[in-house]
Amino acid sequence: MVVTPVSESGYAHVPGSWWTTDDEPTPELRWPESVAVYDAMRSQDAQVGSVLRAVTYPLRRTPWRLDPAGARDEVVQLVAEDLGLPVVGQAVRPVVRTRDRFSWPEHLRLALLMLPF
């Protein structure tokens, strides 16, 4: 017998939940001032820089590629061209133009900035 739910379950968002920084006791580490502090830490503190490099470099130096995994050929080619990534099992195609195009390495670098910030 299948029971169909007849009401919602869960809870409403309560202000001051886990993602807010209102309870930070150090004024310099409250947003938005914290951005400048964390940026200075990542560029000037050797230990912070070393940890960030240890976490991000393996991801940035990985030879990224697309695995079609049964997807339609036209979809795989579109995504490969848009992201500038090679497809597993296919010859690497030369990129016709790189200026003003999406850059996977730059995207990955910017995405990994979420770690210190």
Side-chain angles (χ1 to χ4, degrees):
M1 179 175 162
V2 177
V3 178
T4 305
V6 293
S7 65
E8 293 183 24
S9 60
Y11 57 92
H13 170 71
V14 178
S17 66
W18 63 271
W19 60 273
T20 61
T21 57
D22 296 338
D23 59 345
E24 175 59 56
T26 309
E28 293 84 9
L29 296 182
R30 290 188 195 133
W31 192 86
E33 290 82 14
S34 63
V35 174
V37 173
Y38 294 139
D39 189 37
M41 286 173 64
R42 85 183 169 97
S43 62
Q44 297 171 4
D45 187 293
Q47 284 183 309
V48 172
S50 295
V51 169
L52 288 172
R53 281 190 298 279
V55 171
T56 60
Y57 275 8
L59 295 170
R60 292 179 61 192
R61 297 193 47 90
T62 297
W64 292 91
R65 59 206 171 277
L66 292 177
D67 186 353
R72 295 190 328 249
D73 289 339
E74 60 270 13
V75 173
V76 172
Q77 290 308 316
L78 176 68
V79 172
E81 289 172 8
D82 285 350
L83 296 181
L85 294 174
V87 178
V88 173
Q90 294 183 6
V92 177
R93 295 181 180 184
V95 178
V96 178
R97 188 186 83 181
T98 57
R99 186 172 182 198
D100 296 329
R101 289 189 52 103
F102 177 84
S103 166
W104 177 258
E106 180 64 5
H107 167 73
L108 189 59
R109 183 187 73 79
L110 293 173
L112 290 172
L113 281 176
M114 59 75 77
L115 294 172
F117 293 108

